Amino acid sequence: MAVVLSLGVSACSGSEDASDAAVDAAQADPAETSGENGALAGTPTLADGPDVCFKAITKHLGADTKVSEITSFFSTGSEIDSSDSRPQGQMTICTVEYQSPDDPRKLVSTRLDLASGEFSPPQPIEITVMGNAAEFNLEDYLVPLSQINASGLASVMEAQKSKLGDVYSRYAWLGVRLSAPDAFNDKHTLRLDVEGRLASNDIKESGYASVSLDGRTITADHLTP
């Protein structure tokens, strides 16, 4: 069964169209800036660890909270994306979809305000089911934050340096996400998004890898063309 989670506009979990739209939204989301080079004072960066958004969410919601999806994106910098004036590695988006504490049958979402460092009030998410809606069980699409080890992704990212360096003249990690089960995967997975300039022709290209929840094992590798 495939599930579509929507907030304002529909976005199909696991679809490449939805993923591309999320990346575009991250790159087109100019935060209010202060300081030099468009840097937002106090904004988290990838240098704080690939789990920087996950840690903020856990601190805000608690480790026992069950979540469906987490999305964090980071600037790739102007050397890779000429339209991106923010410093490479600066966080641009940190959001989470999680089980409503008021009604366990429902999802809500919240987003980190990068200017204030505070999370927004929870917003309801309309769940649309493709298939037999009567058989849908939200628990099948949730995982406790305590079972996610996004910090383990640091070693996975480090291990890809040689491979990515052979394909890209320069690259940067664009996204660190938690993906919910979908038509292609029956389990939650972590996801790493990369963007770079191809060494062969300087064309901008992107890719991703799915990683087990312990942050150790790549389960699907699409980092390079």
Side-chain angles (χ1 to χ4, degrees):
M1 180 189 298
V3 60
V4 177
L5 307 180
S6 61
L7 177 58
V9 295
S10 295
C12 181
S13 297
S15 76
E16 289 307 306
D17 289 343
S19 298
D20 292 343
V23 172
D24 291 342
Q27 294 173 327
D29 181 35
E32 294 181 9
T33 59
S34 61
E36 297 181 357
N37 300 321
L40 186 66
T43 301
T45 71
L46 198 54
D48 298 318
D51 60 338
V52 59
C53 173
F54 290 68
K55 288 191 295 186
I57 289 168
T58 301
K59 181 178 180 180
H60 178 62
L61 297 177
D64 294 332
T65 299
K66 293 181 179 180
V67 299
S68 178
E69 296 188 354
I70 292 174
T71 300
S72 61
F73 283 117
F74 304 86
S75 169
T76 57
S78 59
E79 289 190 356
I80 294 173
D81 184 347
S82 59
S83 66
D84 192 346
S85 62
R86 293 161 294 196
Q88 187 176 106
Q90 178 178 299
M91 182 185 286
T92 58
I93 286 181
C94 175
T95 65
V96 58
E97 298 174 358
Y98 62 101
Q99 188 174 37
S100 171
D102 299 321
D103 187 340
R105 302 170 302 170
K106 297 182 178 181
L107 283 175
V108 292
S109 71
T110 183
R111 174 173 177 154
L112 179 64
D113 184 321
L114 298 176
S116 68
E118 302 292 331
F119 280 90
S120 64
Q123 299 295 318
I125 293 176
E126 185 67 34
I127 299 174
T128 303
V129 177
M130 297 173 60
N132 188 345
E135 296 180 356
F136 175 76
N137 182 2
L138 180 59
E139 290 290 338
D140 296 335
Y141 297 87
L142 298 172
V143 62
L145 283 165
S146 60
Q147 294 183 15
I148 305 167
N149 181 28
S151 65
L153 293 172
S155 59
V156 173
M157 295 159 73
E158 180 69 21
Q160 307 311 306
K161 279 188 174 181
S162 177
K163 173 184 176 179
L164 294 175
D166 288 341
V167 176
Y168 299 105
S169 58
R170 51 197 180 279
Y171 71 89
W173 295 103
L174 171 64
V176 181
R177 313 192 224 179
L178 172 71
S179 298
D182 55 30
F184 307 100
N185 198 328
D186 61 358
K187 297 179 180 180
H188 276 87
T189 56
L190 292 168
R191 171 168 166 152
L192 289 168
D193 296 277
V194 69
E195 187 172 79
R197 290 282 175 178
L198 294 174
S200 59
N201 54 20
D202 201 41
I203 297 297
K204 186 174 70 172
E205 181 64 286
S206 60
Y208 74 94
S210 297
V211 184
S212 56
L213 284 187
D214 61 7
R216 297 179 180 178
T217 305
I218 292 179
T219 58
D221 188 346
H222 304 284
L223 289 171
T224 57

